[in-house]
Amino acid sequence: MFRIRHLATCIACAVALLSQPASAEIMREVVYYGDRSVSLPPEIDRIATNWEAQNSILTMLGYGDRIVATTRIARSMPLMQKFVPSIKAAALTTLGDGTVNVEELMVLKPDILFSSRALPDAVSRQLRGAGIAVASFRSNSIDALVERVLITGEMLGPDALEVARRYQGYFDDNRRRVAERLEGIPPDRRVRVYLASGEPLSTSGRPSLNQDWMDLGGAINIAESWFGDMPYASGTASLEDIIAGNPDVIISMNAEDAEEIRTSLQWRNVKAVREGRVYANPRGLFWWCRETSEGALQFLWLASTLYPEAFADIDMREETRRFYRNFYRIELTDDEIAEFLNPTY
């Protein structure tokens, strides 16, 4: 009798264990930055992000087709639509005022929301209570960008982490290649650059992501000291200051702004305009100069643009082709590469 009761008890225990939700047993904890953590299922199937540039990172890591909610800008990027067609059907993570669309996320139930900033505590609690992990990241520096790729890879899983580690190696190798070639260019021959970031008079100084890639690319940023007390060291410049800075080269994030600068009578006395050295920044799935993993090409392109003789052995067309093949699994055509490097929109 004892053995029968004991066997019945064991069977009952086994049934009870099997009937428990699997997620309660197999959730994994990812700790990052030392004091932040997310609780995740073993497989990430559904992803949301309110950070435009994060979409490109997710695509590189093999998870672009699992984005179920994103931003309006990311969803409308032509090349993101081309290479990740499902992005067109993604919901919007934010409302018109930029706040997180909690109700939509509660319906979609993504496994994780990648955020460009810490969310209000009440919003985070509500999402986590619904089983949605929330990950927010540091930003506005090159080191933070590479670190974010690695952390995202760890959160997504082993395959993504392997890509992220290869990416880190490639990024570091590009740093080395550029630094070696810049060694022979003395400070008095370094090129003075003005960055039009978002509109002609919007720019960045130090510290910022933009300053970091300009440093890596050997540029002297004429706005370096202009916004030290401003958030993200960014702000609106005056045309008078730009004319006084007299940059050798102007880089514009948008092609239409580059054209405006080239043709405007107000800019005609700036050296870069006079000498025809106004460039639209390359753009792939996102702008290379922003918080995207495509930033691994940004400072390589910048250095080869500013110092063509020192970088004569670097073919940016082939560099671009190999990068997207090796990390995005995309075979670009010659026309696509041309559009990436010399965007027309």
Side-chain angles (χ1 to χ4, degrees):
M1 180 67 70
F2 172 78
R3 291 180 178 176
I4 293 175
R5 283 200 302 267
H6 182 69
L7 178 60
T9 301
C10 291
I11 293 173
C13 291
V15 170
L17 287 171
L18 290 172
S19 64
Q20 289 181 0
S23 58
E25 297 297 319
I26 57 179
M27 295 294 282
R28 57 195 174 92
E29 200 80 7
V30 177
V31 179
Y32 62 110
Y33 298 150
D35 60 352
R36 302 184 198 179
S37 66
V38 289
S39 184
L40 298 166
E43 182 72 21
I44 302 297
D45 293 317
R46 298 170 65 79
I47 297 170
T49 179
N50 64 358
W51 196 348
E52 282 89 0
Q54 186 73 359
N55 292 270
S56 181
I57 292 175
L58 293 167
T59 300
M60 183 185 79
L61 298 179
Y63 282 73
D65 60 354
R66 304 191 195 190
I67 299 169
V68 297
T70 186
T71 66
R72 192 178 304 277
I73 291 176
R75 195 173 66 177
S76 64
M77 293 289 288
L79 289 167
M80 180 64 76
Q81 291 183 353
K82 181 173 184 176
F83 295 117
V84 188
S86 59
I87 201 78
K88 291 181 284 189
L92 294 177
T93 50
T94 55
L95 301 170
D97 59 359
T99 59
V100 172
N101 191 344
V102 175
E103 291 184 2
E104 184 72 29
L105 292 177
M106 299 282 274
V107 171
L108 292 170
K109 291 193 176 299
D111 298 306
I112 187 169
L113 167 67
F114 291 105
S115 178
S116 57
R117 61 187 63 86
L119 302 181
D121 289 342
V123 173
S124 292
R125 285 196 300 269
Q126 190 173 4
L127 294 174
R128 287 175 177 137
I132 302 170
V134 178
S136 60
F137 296 100
R138 299 168 183 157
S139 63
N140 206 36
S141 78
I142 284 290
D143 289 342
L145 166 61
V146 177
E147 184 180 37
R148 182 167 109 248
V149 173
L150 288 168
I151 294 170
T152 302
E154 184 177 5
M155 290 177 178
L156 295 179
D159 291 342
L161 182 56
E162 189 274 330
V163 175
R165 286 173 174 160
R166 281 199 298 111
Y167 171 82
Q168 181 186 34
Y170 175 78
F171 199 106
D172 290 344
D173 189 55
N174 276 357
R175 286 195 206 225
R176 177 192 57 77
R177 289 198 292 163
V178 171
E180 286 176 353
R181 289 162 178 78
L182 290 176
E183 282 180 358
I185 302 173
D188 62 350
R189 288 183 51 214
R190 295 295 174 101
V191 177
R192 295 170 58 79
V193 174
Y194 172 74
L195 170 69
S197 181
E199 58 184 36
L201 296 179
S202 177
T203 192
S204 299
R206 186 183 301 279
S208 68
L209 173 70
N210 292 329
Q211 181 67 54
D212 285 355
W213 58 253
M214 281 192 269
D215 287 344
L216 290 176
I220 296 175
N221 178 15
I222 68 165
E224 178 177 347
S225 61
W226 292 1
F227 305 106
D229 57 346
M230 300 287 287
Y232 295 97
S234 300
T236 301
S238 71
L239 186 56
E240 291 76 14
D241 284 340
I242 297 168
I243 293 172
N246 204 28
D248 305 297
V249 166
I250 293 174
I251 297 168
S252 173
M253 195 179 92
N254 296 315
E256 56 268 30
D257 290 340
E259 185 60 21
E260 178 183 338
I261 291 169
R262 290 187 193 104
T263 58
S264 170
L265 293 178
Q266 294 178 305
W267 291 76
R268 63 182 175 180
N269 291 323
V270 177
K271 182 179 179 182
V273 178
R274 292 198 315 268
E275 298 186 357
R277 301 195 72 188
V278 179
Y279 305 100
N281 202 95
R283 175 165 66 170
L285 278 71
F286 204 63
W287 286 276
W288 289 6
C289 58
R290 301 297 291 273
E291 299 272 2
T292 170
S293 44
E294 294 159 283
L297 292 172
Q298 173 68 16
F299 59 93
L300 183 63
W301 166 81
L302 177 67
S304 63
T305 300
L306 301 184
Y307 309 104
E309 292 183 2
F311 288 80
D313 62 319
I314 300 292
D315 183 341
M316 282 307 303
R317 293 167 300 180
E318 288 308 308
E319 290 285 342
T320 301
R321 190 189 308 277
R322 284 195 296 268
F323 175 75
Y324 285 93
R325 175 191 297 140
N326 293 339
F327 291 99
Y328 283 80
R329 301 156 299 282
I330 293 171
E331 286 292 342
L332 296 176
T333 66
D334 289 344
D335 287 345
E336 287 167 343
I337 292 172
E339 179 61 34
F340 277 34
L341 292 171
N342 299 284
T344 57
Y345 60 89

